[in-house]
Amino acid sequence: QVQLVESGGGLVQPGGSLRLSCAASGFSLEYYAIGWFRKAPGKEREGVSCISMRDGRLYSADSVKDRFTISRDNAKNTVYLQMTRLKTEDTAVYYCAAGADLATSIQTMCDNPDAAYEHWGQGTQVTVSA
């Protein structure tokens, strides 16, 4: 019953923008944290940006902090990742994940996704290419 579904991925040119959505069903995100993670070919999974649905605390990786914005819409049980000024290095499968928000560091959760996040979506492909 518990599902997370990512959408919004696709092919975009360098410098372009995409907005990814992570929609939850089967449970409320009210007391959860949501994280965006990505896996690029030949690279380890990377925490991109994470947010508390309860109070809006967030963390973003240095590599995307000035370009990506994570946001929440509690009424829609959805989290977004607005990506701007995309680079070829951003090409990856992007996953969202949900974990119980225990009022600890969002950065800590984002840096330890296997321990912190229980529910994972199937991912959406983002390809940045000219």
Side-chain angles (χ1 to χ4, degrees):
Q1 297 186 63
V2 174
Q3 292 189 40
L4 295 172
V5 179
E6 303 96 335
S7 62
L11 175 64
V12 66
Q13 297 184 57
S17 300
L18 284 173
R19 189 174 78 157
L20 306 183
S21 298
C22 174
S25 61
F27 70 113
S28 172
L29 296 178
E30 183 177 3
Y31 300 112
Y32 282 80
I34 298 294
W36 284 101
F37 304 86
R38 65 186 181 185
K39 179 68 173 68
K43 296 183 178 180
E44 298 294 320
R45 183 180 60 189
E46 177 186 15
V48 177
S49 191
C50 302
I51 190 168
S52 166
M53 300 298 288
R54 177 175 55 83
D55 60 19
R57 291 176 297 123
L58 58 85
Y59 165 81
S60 294
D62 289 343
S63 60
V64 306
K65 190 173 184 179
D66 295 333
R67 300 182 295 116
F68 294 6
T69 301
I70 190 169
S71 61
R72 56 180 175 140
D73 188 334
N74 291 70
K76 295 183 178 180
N77 218 31
T78 299
V79 171
Y80 305 97
L81 185 67
Q82 179 67 56
M83 306 185 295
T84 64
R85 305 196 308 278
L86 282 160
K87 305 175 180 179
T88 57
E89 303 97 289
D90 296 317
T91 296
V93 178
Y94 284 71
Y95 301 87
C96 71
D101 181 2
L102 302 178
T104 57
S105 167
I106 297 297
Q107 180 178 357
T108 297
M109 295 186 65
C110 220
D111 289 342
N112 297 275
D114 291 338
Y117 294 93
E118 297 179 340
H119 308 293
W120 290 78
Q122 293 185 331
T124 185
Q125 176 71 49
V126 172
T127 302
V128 185
S129 176

